[in-house]
């Protein structure tokens, strides 16, 4: 996978990355205890639930930087996330959207019991990353000030869907300390997301599924941004 790396001095270089592991942060709020209580409520309902913050794996062939993703079912939801790419000792930062097939968020079988496991729903659809990147060392000192935003189209109008600072999530150094293997060559990490804005119409991703997803990371210190837009295309006619 090719990335254009923009340095703060204005220079641009390219990096060809051989992706070896695609990793996804789950329940990565910096308020670890509050998140743990929420997950404990699911456990109390009888679900098998992962701990938090948590890293799960996704098949690497599902990573794409294309402008269209093909999905089987209608109920596919995106979410903006910061993306870390480790390549031959270098650490790059970009932005992406990991998608979920929301029909699989809650599962139950006689063999497995009740499962609350987003790894299954994430495995069903692609993860999208932008084509541009920055050097991690150039944003490390103001990490918490990076701003993640996303937008969706509702009735022909683009509306804000998410807007949060990285100060709301555990930072990259936390992930590196707790999971040192994330520093291995070829690891791509989607480092978690936050809920939708309260102004989003309540029927979005319940009765209405947006045809596209636009995401970006803004750096207010160096006054720059990386963004990407993709459309959702269904491989079969929806009824």
């Amino acid at each position: 996978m090719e990335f254009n790396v923009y340095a703060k001095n204005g220079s641009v270089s390219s990096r060809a990355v051989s992706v070896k592991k695609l990793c996804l942060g789950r329940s990565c709020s910096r308020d670890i205890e509050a998140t743990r209580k929420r997950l404990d409520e699911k456990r109390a309902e009888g679900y098998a639930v992962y701990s938090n913050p948590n890293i799960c794996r996704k098949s690497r062939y599902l990573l794409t930087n294309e402008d269209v993703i093909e999905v089987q079912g209608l109920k596919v939801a995106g979410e903006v996330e910061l993306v870390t790419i480790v390549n031959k000792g270098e650490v790059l930062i970009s932005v992406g959207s990991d998608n979920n097939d929301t029909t699989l968020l809650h599962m139950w079988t006689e063999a497995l019991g009740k499962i609350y496991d987003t790894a299954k729903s994430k495995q069903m659809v692609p993860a999208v990353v932008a084509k541009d990147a920055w050097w991690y060392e150039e944003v490390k000192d103001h990490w918490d000030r990076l701003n993640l935003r996303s937008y969706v189209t509702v009735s022909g109008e683009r509306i804000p869907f998410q807007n949060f600072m990285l100060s709301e999530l555990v930072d990259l150094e936390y992930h590196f300390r707790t999971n040192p293997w994330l520093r291995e060559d070829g690891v791509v990490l989607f480092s978690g997301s936050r809920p939708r804005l309260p102004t989003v119409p309540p029927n979005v991703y319940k009765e209405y599924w947006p045809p596209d997803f636009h995401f970006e990371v803004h750096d207010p210190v160096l006054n720059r941004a990386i963004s990407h837009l993709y459309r959702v295309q269904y491989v079969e006619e929806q009824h």
Side-chain angles (χ1 to χ4, degrees), residues 40-233:
D40 283 343
E41 292 175 358
K42 301 301 295 183
R43 293 187 182 94
E45 296 174 11
Y47 285 94
V49 184
Y50 53 83
S51 60
N52 70 290
N54 179 270
I55 303 293
C56 70
R57 294 278 301 278
K58 184 168 181 168
S59 298
R60 58 183 179 171
Y61 74 86
L62 290 168
L63 182 65
T64 180
N65 59 9
E66 294 185 4
D67 301 328
V68 178
I69 63 170
E70 293 183 316
V71 300
Q72 180 67 41
L74 183 66
K75 299 183 179 182
V76 171
E79 55 185 8
V80 62
E81 305 193 32
L82 198 79
V83 179
T84 301
I85 304 110
V86 181
N87 183 54
K88 299 178 181 178
E90 301 173 333
V91 181
L92 308 176
I93 297 299
S94 189
V95 63
S97 170
D98 183 37
N99 290 276
N100 286 273
D101 184 333
T102 60
T103 62
L104 299 178
L105 287 176
H106 297 80
M107 296 177 290
W108 186 93
T109 69
E110 291 185 3
L112 299 176
K114 297 171 72 174
I115 302 172
Y116 182 77
D117 187 355
T118 54
K120 303 295 189 300
S121 60
K122 292 175 182 293
Q123 178 65 21
M124 298 303 294
V125 282
V128 183
V129 64
K131 299 174 183 178
D132 299 334
W134 298 327
W135 299 110
Y136 171 51
E137 290 300 322
E138 293 187 350
V139 300
K140 183 177 179 180
D141 64 348
H142 56 279
W143 180 270
D144 284 355
R145 297 183 64 183
L146 297 182
N147 180 206
L148 293 180
R149 305 166 182 160
S150 65
Y151 306 85
V152 295
T153 299
V154 177
S155 300
E157 179 183 357
R158 194 181 80 160
I159 66 168
F161 185 71
Q162 295 166 283
N163 189 343
F164 61 92
M165 310 299 290
L166 282 186
S167 58
E168 297 185 40
L169 301 173
V170 295
D171 61 22
L172 182 56
E173 293 302 318
Y174 177 95
H175 288 303
F176 282 162
R177 287 194 306 272
T178 54
N179 296 282
W181 57 271
L182 290 172
R183 286 186 176 271
E184 295 175 4
D185 182 48
V187 168
V188 175
L189 172 66
F190 282 63
S191 54
S193 193
R194 296 295 292 156
R196 68 180 69 186
L197 294 168
T199 52
V200 176
N203 67 328
V204 173
Y205 288 129
K206 292 182 180 179
E207 302 169 3
Y208 175 85
W209 289 270
D212 56 18
F213 197 82
H214 178 197
F215 56 84
E216 65 183 21
V217 57
H218 177 246
D219 181 346
V221 175
L222 299 178
N223 192 28
R224 57 183 182 170
I226 297 174
S227 65
H228 190 82
L229 170 68
Y230 64 93
R231 294 184 294 108
V232 181
Q233 182 172 300

